[in-house]
Amino acid sequence: MRLMPKFLSVKEVPSLFWSSPKALTLRPPLVSVLFLIMGLTLFGVGEALLVAAGVGVSPWTVLAQGIMHITGWSIGFATFITSFVVLVCWIPLRQTPGIGTILNAVIIALVLEFLLPFLPTFDHVMLQLGEAILGVLVTGFGGGLYLIANLGPGPRDGLMTGLQRVTDLPIAWVRSGLELSVIAAGWVLGGTVGLGTVLFALGIGPSVAASMYVLKKVFRQDVITC
């Protein structure tokens, strides 16, 4: 009897009807672009819910806080440098960028900017945790949608898929290990870790994998690699 849910063993990004044949293309299929935008929008909504919950920022923001603490940079500039370093790490992993790599930063930033003022904030810790968990689930589903579009992952998602291909470990394990490592580095450098941070680190990998697993079951086709 299997004790581990099947989605935790997912190793590949499925190729479904909205998947682009190529990640790097100047003429992507319209359906791929639409699902890319929809997925990135949901990704941004999920991150906004995590911020609104007020129980801890995302692991990569903790790292940016730690870098800010030792360098004196702004958190925005620290985030930019971190993203640049992650993109450099793509080179040995042979990751392919695309319009999704650019739109990742643009769309998620816009969603955070315009949605956050309208999201509820709670004083009760259970409601805060509920909002944070919802944020992780929505982020994971949005991540699954946009990665399947195959138009280029964002810097961190590309690092995840690249490491998965090199290690041949399940996506959920790779992402969770990556996020926990980032938390540890950020905390050592002086970043602030909250309960929501840990929830995100442990939940985002399984959430993305579960989304891909369910979507593949609903729209069963072949698989692709990013």
Side-chain angles (χ1 to χ4, degrees):
M1 181 175 66
R2 294 176 62 95
L3 298 178
M4 184 177 70
K6 290 184 177 180
F7 67 83
L8 290 179
S9 63
V10 170
K11 292 185 177 181
E12 298 158 308
V13 178
S15 176
L16 304 178
F17 73 86
W18 66 90
S19 301
S20 171
K22 295 181 179 180
L24 185 57
T25 175
L26 296 178
R27 300 182 65 182
L30 179 59
V31 66
S32 301
V33 176
L34 291 176
F35 272 84
L36 170 71
I37 294 173
M38 182 166 59
L40 288 174
T41 300
L42 287 173
F43 197 103
V45 170
E47 290 212 354
L49 284 167
L50 182 66
V51 173
V55 289
V57 296
S58 69
W60 291 90
T61 302
V62 174
L63 179 59
Q65 287 177 339
I67 294 172
M68 178 183 66
H69 180 72
I70 64 172
T71 63
W73 297 341
S74 69
I75 193 166
F77 186 68
T79 299
F80 171 78
I81 293 298
T82 301
S83 297
F84 177 78
V85 172
V86 170
L87 286 173
V88 171
C89 292
W90 279 26
I91 298 173
L93 296 174
R94 298 182 180 180
Q95 282 295 91
T96 303
I99 62 171
T101 307
I102 299 172
L103 290 180
N104 183 284
V106 175
I107 292 177
I108 292 174
L110 288 174
V111 172
L112 285 168
E113 180 73 20
F114 291 105
L115 185 62
L116 266 176
F118 301 99
L119 290 178
T121 56
F122 303 104
D123 295 326
H124 196 284
V125 66
M126 295 306 296
L127 292 176
Q128 291 175 329
L129 290 176
E131 190 171 27
I133 292 171
L134 179 61
V136 172
L137 295 176
V138 173
T139 301
F141 183 66
L145 280 178
Y146 104 81
L147 285 172
I148 292 172
N150 193 36
L151 287 175
R156 296 154 187 80
D157 291 319
L159 183 60
M160 172 190 72
T161 54
L163 287 173
Q164 185 285 318
R165 187 171 59 249
V166 170
T167 62
D168 197 37
L169 292 172
I171 287 175
W173 297 8
V174 172
R175 186 56 179 264
S176 294
L178 183 60
E179 299 290 327
L180 288 171
S181 298
V182 167
I183 287 179
W187 181 73
V188 168
L189 294 175
T192 303
V193 177
L195 183 55
T197 308
V198 178
L199 282 174
F200 188 93
L202 295 176
I204 189 60
S207 182
V208 171
S211 298
M212 291 180 178
Y213 179 81
V214 172
L215 289 168
K216 183 181 177 182
K217 285 291 186 182
V218 176
F219 308 101
R220 188 184 299 273
Q221 288 185 33
D222 295 330
V223 295
I224 60 173
T225 56
C226 287

